[in-house]
Amino acid sequence: MNPDGRDSQRGLNTEQAAGLLARDGPNELPRPPRRTAAHILRELAREPMHQLLAAAVAIYFVLGDRAEASVLLAFLGVIVTITLVQERRTERVLEALRDMTSPRALVWRDGAPRRVAGVELVRGDLIELAEGDRVPADARLISANDLAVDESLLSGESLPVAKAAAADGPAGDAPAPSHQVFAGTMVVAGRALAEVSATGARSEIGRIGAVLGAIEAESTPLHRQTRQLVRWFSVLGLVVSVIVGVLFAWSQGDWLGATLAGITMAMSMLPQEFLLILTVFMAMGAWRLSQHRVLTRRAATIEALGAATVLCNDKTGTLTRNQMRIETLVCFGADGPVTWLAADGALDAHFATLLRHGVLACEQEAFDPMERAFHTLAATLADRAPQARLVHEYGLSPALPLMTHVWQLGPGPEQVVAAKGAPESVIALCRLPAAMRAQVLEAAADLAAQGMRVLAVASAGFAGGAWPATPHGFDFRLLGLVALADPLRDTVPRAVEDCRRAGIRVLMITGDHPGTARAIARQAGLDGEAGMLLGDEVAALDDAALRHAVRTTTVFARVPPQQKLRIVEALKANGEVVAMTGDGVNDAPSLKAAHIGIAMGGRGTDVAREASALVLLDDDFGTLVEAVRLGRRIYDNLLKAMRFVFAVHVPIAGLTLIPMLLGWPLLFTPMHIAFLEIVIDPVCSIVFEAEDEEPDLMARAPRDPSAPLFSPSMMAGSLLQGGVVLLLVGSFYGGLLQHGLAEAAARTAAFVALIASNIALILANRALGGGLRAALQARNRALWGMVLATVALLATVVGVAPLRRLFGFAVPEPIWIGAALGVGAVTLAALLAGRALRATFRRGRGHVGA
């Protein structure tokens, strides 16, 4: 028992851990301060739109119009509240996603191992570490087996650092760091048991946390485009508003009125919604992806998903279920291969020896599905290996893809060596004669052609004083082959077909046998016959030849991780937008190189997750395709919202300017603009975000990633839509004045016509194609709720006498209200007709081009 009350073999108990957590705090680095409501309010106070509204309030107070100033102030409060609620909603979503990214740790509590969130670790906890884990806290090694750790985050040294427990280390006073592991570093080889010595800010990485916290993430291309556009329009709006104010003062001699006119003009032209849209869409997009078991680690990924042209996938666990089961054992005698099938039941001596040594070549506590299959079959058949102690281990390496364990079976010097791995590698290790080699490879190919994963198992004896540097130093003999089946996921064939219709190539890049890869590709619906490359063939190709080969090759087999990076780079050089899945330590470079790196959440390592942009929490290829579908939907809806904002500001700005130029009564004051902002902000950030996917979403080619969101054609189309609204509502207002309608009644009818036309703009932009049916489809409850709320708010302003006077409205005759609604209907018809004409023109142009 340790002084702190911890049993050195059982770890802390739950009560001890809870007490230490309360005393020392969670195991996390200090985070940047949370964006509180006060912080968000300060940011809102710096927004030009809100400053203009505040200036208008001040001017109304100076003019002595306290009622109008109070209502405008109330509108400002409503706008700020809406923005604050949306910002807080975004913060909560991001906080939830941040909690999901917290690393997990395998810790001993109450005498049993359990997975807990890394933030729950406390000093004195016993943790288990394995290859691919991110070390969750500073810890002292109690036992270690061939442990190597990547400490480049702390030291900048790229080479892994060998570690040993103090009792296992070499004689002499070794430096303390060699017996410790540090939070944030990565285990790249071996296993260990360690006792947590420091957590959170007290850890080694905690001392440099301030430096890490000061590093700001680079903004995405879309965010930079949006900021630049807002800046241009803000400058344009400021220039135009100054000109309008000066002209108004010169013609009317009223400088306070001129200032109000200038403020109204500036408010009508400021597209401050753009950044709000982008923030809300990215946060809500990440949340929607998380609901489909996809964790987004980088916002830019959401932009890239809709442009993906190639999905590169591992086979095991992504296309297949990752539920391995041993189906066949094959031993080789003088009379040729002898086969055991799972249905046969009990094992004879030869097969029992093969299985027993296969288990000895596995980790004692297996996490790999294939190794779990060995342990499961041995337990089922009651064929357990004798009591033994693991004394040495040779891990997998690119040069020798097999696992080798050295075991001490008794008190004597004799040791047993067990190895398992790819048949080609084990055959080379056993130095088989050519005839035997051909026989084994033929049997392996037959099994692989049935879609099974094939491993070879070998054994050797050893009694020397020092182990060889590599497994080649042992005298191995081949025991046989083990074939494991991992069935294809049910969702894969349909998902592959969806990708084919969407113009997305699906590639399989696996370390498996070519026959296994071809069989799984055939079941998945991949065109495996179109071309297959082996890892050795990839290595032999120069960059130009590889770029040519990846244009037609669908299946890559026996590919080591370092060749995955070359394949990704070749695809990128061909102009493809590459999504790449991976789960191991050595997959990190290819994940980072891909446009969309996708780590496996279930079986993936922390190293892979750190290098990725997305994490598939269920490791399912079907989920990955759903992520692409969602990425396309998010981008489509973002485009719809941006088009609407462009279009809606045209009539607002035009109807502010034209009455001044033509000497008509002013249609808008800052109060009217504030009312419109209350309608526009939720529409663009909530209504369009909730729109369903387009019918042809997965039936069109990926978008060009280099094409800007704010393309000339998109802006021209939006300006044309806004121009239609401006023409119809402006003509309606002018006609009312010409008809002799009173100023207040004409303003009311024109304002109702503008609201109706804005609703027509929403309906016309909620679908990228289609006619009236697509515009009126009732699947978006947020839209119809917003329409009803807008109508109710407008009815309140027109119907309540004090508000009506403040807005300069009057209750018009029903015929003029009907005419105003008719303007909205005509607007919708004109917009839909224009879209139909554009579609016809595009089809005709495509015909001519063909």
Side-chain angles (χ1 to χ4, degrees):
M1 188 75 70
N2 286 351
D4 60 4
R6 175 181 59 77
D7 187 324
S8 60
Q9 300 302 316
R10 293 172 55 84
L12 299 172
N13 60 40
T14 303
E15 292 76 15
Q16 290 169 333
L20 288 168
L21 185 63
R23 187 191 73 184
D24 297 339
N27 176 38
E28 60 182 359
L29 297 179
R31 290 185 180 180
R34 285 190 63 184
R35 296 180 72 241
T36 62
H39 186 264
I40 295 172
L41 283 172
R42 283 196 297 271
E43 290 182 354
L44 292 177
R46 291 194 290 268
E47 287 289 332
M49 174 63 75
H50 302 144
Q51 291 173 354
L52 290 170
L53 273 172
V57 170
I59 290 173
Y60 278 123
F61 273 119
V62 170
L63 292 172
D65 196 342
R66 294 182 180 277
E68 194 150 349
S70 299
V71 173
L72 194 57
L73 187 60
F75 277 163
L76 176 60
V78 171
I79 293 171
V80 168
T81 300
I82 290 172
T83 308
L84 183 63
V85 168
Q86 289 170 336
E87 288 272 1
R88 293 297 298 146
R89 182 187 185 196
T90 300
E91 282 293 307
R92 285 194 297 271
V93 169
L94 294 176
E95 194 69 31
L97 294 173
R98 200 175 292 124
D99 291 342
M100 291 175 67
T101 63
S102 173
R104 311 286 292 176
L106 185 61
V107 60
W108 281 78
R109 294 269 175 87
D110 300 314
R114 66 175 72 166
R115 288 277 176 189
V116 302
V119 296
E120 297 177 14
L121 287 182
V122 297
R123 212 161 43 85
D125 265 329
L126 290 183
I127 55 174
E128 290 191 20
L129 300 171
E131 178 180 327
D133 286 348
R134 179 169 57 166
V135 179
D138 288 4
R140 177 181 62 85
L141 292 172
I142 294 174
S143 64
N145 183 18
D146 295 331
L147 186 67
V149 179
D150 176 1
E151 295 186 342
S152 57
L153 178 66
L154 296 175
S155 65
E157 175 57 54
S158 60
L159 295 176
V161 179
K163 300 281 185 175
D168 299 334
D173 294 325
S178 66
H179 307 317
Q180 290 181 287
V181 288
F182 301 101
T185 59
M186 300 288 181
V187 178
V188 297
R191 303 177 66 85
L193 179 68
E195 177 185 348
V196 174
S197 57
T199 60
R202 292 171 293 279
S203 64
E204 192 70 24
I205 197 172
R207 296 170 190 166
I208 59 174
V211 177
L212 293 175
I215 299 174
E216 294 187 5
E218 184 182 358
S219 60
T220 68
L222 191 55
H223 201 270
R224 289 194 294 273
Q225 282 183 48
T226 306
R227 279 200 176 279
Q228 188 176 28
L229 197 71
V230 170
R231 196 174 297 119
W232 288 346
F233 272 90
S234 298
V235 171
L236 179 62
L238 180 62
V239 171
V240 173
S241 64
V242 169
I243 294 172
V244 166
V246 170
L247 289 175
F248 189 95
W250 176 70
S251 61
Q252 305 292 328
D254 180 4
W255 283 101
L256 280 177
T259 304
L260 278 175
I263 288 173
T264 305
M265 192 69 221
M267 289 172 62
S268 71
M269 295 188 67
L270 271 181
Q272 85 287 348
E273 298 91 357
F274 284 143
L275 291 175
L276 174 68
I277 292 169
L278 200 56
T279 302
V280 172
F281 270 59
M282 292 302 108
M284 291 304 298
W287 177 80
R288 288 189 187 279
L289 286 167
S290 73
Q291 299 305 293
H292 286 75
R293 309 285 295 160
V294 180
L295 178 62
T296 307
R297 301 188 68 252
R298 297 185 181 93
T301 308
I302 298 175
E303 298 175 31
L305 274 172
T309 59
V310 176
L311 302 184
C312 300
N313 300 276
D314 189 11
K315 175 187 73 68
T316 305
T318 307
L319 299 177
T320 60
R321 295 179 184 172
N322 202 28
Q323 297 173 355
M324 305 295 289
R325 189 179 75 169
I326 293 177
E327 296 287 349
T328 306
L329 302 176
V330 180
C331 290
F332 297 90
D335 297 328
V338 182
T339 301
W340 172 90
L341 301 176
D344 293 343
L347 303 172
D348 66 17
H350 292 94
F351 292 122
T353 301
L354 169 59
L355 177 61
R356 192 174 302 122
H357 283 80
V359 172
L360 290 174
C362 296
E363 296 291 352
Q364 292 170 284
E365 294 182 9
F367 293 96
D368 181 84
M370 288 189 295
E371 296 196 340
R372 285 202 299 265
F374 276 91
H375 284 285
T376 299
L377 183 61
T380 301
L381 299 177
D383 189 88
R384 296 185 178 276
Q387 291 297 317
R389 181 170 64 91
L390 181 65
V391 293
H392 194 58
E393 179 178 3
Y394 298 90
L396 290 165
S397 70
L400 194 60
L402 51 81
M403 197 80 160
T404 306
H405 286 169
V406 182
W407 295 86
Q408 186 76 49
L409 297 181
E414 293 81 11
Q415 295 172 348
V416 171
V417 186
K420 71 170 181 5
E424 301 92 330
S425 301
V426 175
I427 287 171
L429 203 64
C430 296
R431 306 178 184 90
L432 295 179
M436 184 64 173
R437 175 188 176 90
Q439 188 181 64
V440 174
L441 288 176
E442 182 182 359
D446 289 343
L447 293 168
Q450 301 171 43
M452 289 190 277
R453 177 74 181 267
V454 184
L455 299 176
V457 178
S459 70
F462 186 72
W467 297 299
T470 70
H472 287 289
F474 298 109
D475 185 16
F476 279 103
R477 67 184 181 91
L478 180 71
L479 296 179
L481 300 176
V482 180
L484 304 96
D486 183 12
L488 191 75
R489 291 181 184 269
D490 296 335
T491 58
V492 167
R494 180 174 178 179
V496 170
E497 179 57 31
D498 285 345
C499 289
R500 185 175 292 113
R501 287 191 299 109
I504 302 171
R505 290 178 63 206
V506 180
L507 308 186
M508 181 198 297
I509 305 177
T510 179
D512 268 356
H513 188 281
T516 306
R518 187 176 283 112
I520 293 296
R522 187 168 54 248
Q523 295 172 30
L526 299 177
D527 188 7
E529 304 303 323
M532 174 185 287
L533 276 180
L534 303 184
D536 291 342
E537 295 171 336
V538 172
L541 295 174
D542 61 25
D543 291 344
L546 183 58
R547 286 198 299 272
H548 178 74
V550 297
R551 288 193 175 98
T552 55
T553 305
T554 305
V555 179
F556 298 82
R558 284 285 186 252
V559 176
Q562 64 269 27
Q563 296 302 339
K564 290 184 181 180
L565 177 60
R566 289 197 65 214
I567 294 170
V568 168
E569 295 291 2
L571 289 166
K572 287 169 63 179
N574 287 342
E576 306 282 7
V577 178
V578 183
M580 174 79 192
T581 65
D583 59 0
V585 175
N586 292 326
D587 288 331
S590 55
L591 290 176
K592 193 170 281 277
H595 296 100
I596 309 168
I598 304 161
M600 302 296 105
R603 61 191 170 88
T605 62
D606 284 332
V607 183
R609 284 190 284 268
E610 288 294 316
S612 68
L614 292 178
V615 179
L616 291 186
L617 299 178
D618 59 4
D619 298 358
D620 189 345
F621 176 74
T623 302
L624 172 56
V625 177
E626 278 301 308
V628 172
R629 179 188 297 273
L630 272 170
R632 289 189 173 195
R633 172 190 164 184
I634 291 164
Y635 194 88
D636 278 357
N637 289 345
L638 185 63
L639 182 63
K640 296 171 189 176
M642 296 296 190
R643 287 198 319 191
F644 169 75
V645 171
F646 260 110
V648 81
H649 277 276
V650 173
I652 296 174
L655 292 171
T656 302
L657 181 61
I658 288 173
M660 297 183 195
L661 298 178
L662 299 181
W664 295 349
L666 295 182
L667 181 57
F668 295 144
T669 66
M671 190 171 301
H672 299 93
I673 304 294
F675 181 95
L676 292 170
E677 286 297 321
I678 290 174
V679 176
I680 293 171
D681 279 0
V683 165
C684 62
S685 60
I686 296 175
V687 171
F688 282 110
E689 195 280 329
E691 280 295 338
D692 207 351
E693 66 184 49
E694 294 292 309
D696 67 339
L697 185 77
M698 294 296 282
R700 60 180 188 247
R703 65 179 176 83
D704 182 356
S706 63
L709 176 66
F710 305 103
S711 64
S713 62
M714 175 268 209
M715 289 191 283
S718 296
L719 292 173
L720 186 60
Q721 284 187 337
V724 169
V725 176
L726 174 59
L727 177 64
L728 291 173
V729 177
S731 299
F732 180 62
Y733 183 48
L736 292 175
L737 294 174
Q738 287 283 81
H739 193 269
L741 202 64
E743 177 184 324
R747 180 182 293 114
T748 307
F751 197 78
V752 171
L754 178 62
I755 295 293
S757 296
N758 283 351
I759 293 173
L761 267 178
I762 298 167
L763 296 176
N765 282 289
R766 63 184 301 231
L768 296 177
L772 185 63
R773 184 177 178 181
L776 297 178
Q777 58 188 342
R779 284 181 293 182
N780 189 343
R781 287 182 295 179
L783 165 65
W784 301 113
M786 190 60 60
V787 168
L788 289 175
T790 301
V791 171
L793 189 58
L794 182 60
T796 301
V797 169
V798 175
V800 177
L803 291 176
R804 187 167 62 242
R805 285 193 298 271
L806 289 171
F807 275 80
F809 286 164
V811 179
E813 296 178 22
I815 188 172
W816 300 123
I817 293 293
L821 296 177
V823 170
V826 171
T827 300
L828 179 59
L831 295 175
L832 294 178
R835 186 162 69 190
L837 285 173
R838 286 198 304 274
T840 303
F841 174 72
R842 287 197 192 100
R843 284 195 297 270
R845 191 170 56 180
H847 242 7
V848 171

